[in-house]
Amino acid sequence: QVQLQESGPGLVKPSQTLSLTCTVSGASITTSDSYWTWIRQPPGKGPEWMGAISNRGSTFYSPSLKSRTSISRDTSKNQFALQLSSVTPEDTAVYYCASYPRLSTRAQRGPDDYWGQGTQVTVSS
């Protein structure tokens, strides 16, 4: 059973960088034929696909967030991470990490996905 768990600060100040980590168990981020994905859902809005990293380390970003987003991985810890720079209150959201069976920009859950429980991040001074 693949399990994912998000971790990171729940409160970030405006203009700072949001940093989250996703710890994966039950699968290897380097050998599983999966795309390790970040999605967020602001309050009262629909989910938004942010980006993904492949098992080979290739990265893919939403065009609207690309200039502020970086996805990386720590293969020794079987983790992948999200950094979002220059945050504003509009970046307040529940952030999810997920495993997708293929590269996709959809933000809705698919039948073959594995998702973390999500973590609330609030941007406020």
Side-chain angles (χ1 to χ4, degrees):
Q1 180 75 7
V2 180
Q3 293 183 322
L4 298 94
Q5 179 68 57
E6 305 89 351
S7 60
L11 180 64
V12 182
K13 296 184 184 301
S15 80
Q16 292 187 342
T17 296
L18 179 161
S19 297
L20 296 174
T21 298
C22 183
T23 301
V24 180
S25 60
S28 167
I29 65 170
T30 57
T31 61
S32 294
D33 193 17
S34 300
Y35 288 83
W36 307 98
T37 304
W38 288 98
I39 307 99
R40 69 179 182 177
Q41 185 163 15
K45 298 183 180 179
E48 177 184 22
W49 182 86
M50 300 182 70
I53 186 166
S54 75
N55 58 0
R56 295 186 178 186
S58 299
T59 52
F60 309 86
Y61 299 109
S62 166
S64 65
L65 296 171
K66 185 174 183 178
S67 64
R68 299 195 292 131
T69 307
S70 177
I71 297 175
S72 60
R73 62 182 186 170
D74 185 336
T75 58
S76 68
K77 296 181 180 179
N78 210 39
Q79 295 174 333
F80 63 106
L82 171 73
Q83 289 194 315
L84 182 66
S85 63
S86 304
V87 297
T88 72
E90 291 188 347
D91 293 309
T92 294
V94 177
Y95 286 76
Y96 298 91
C97 60
S99 167
Y100 283 11
R102 61 193 63 83
L103 181 62
S104 171
T105 60
R106 62 176 165 79
Q108 290 73 26
R109 296 175 188 246
D112 299 319
D113 299 347
Y114 294 95
W115 284 56
Q117 64 183 17
T119 187
Q120 173 70 46
V121 178
T122 300
V123 179
S124 175
S125 56

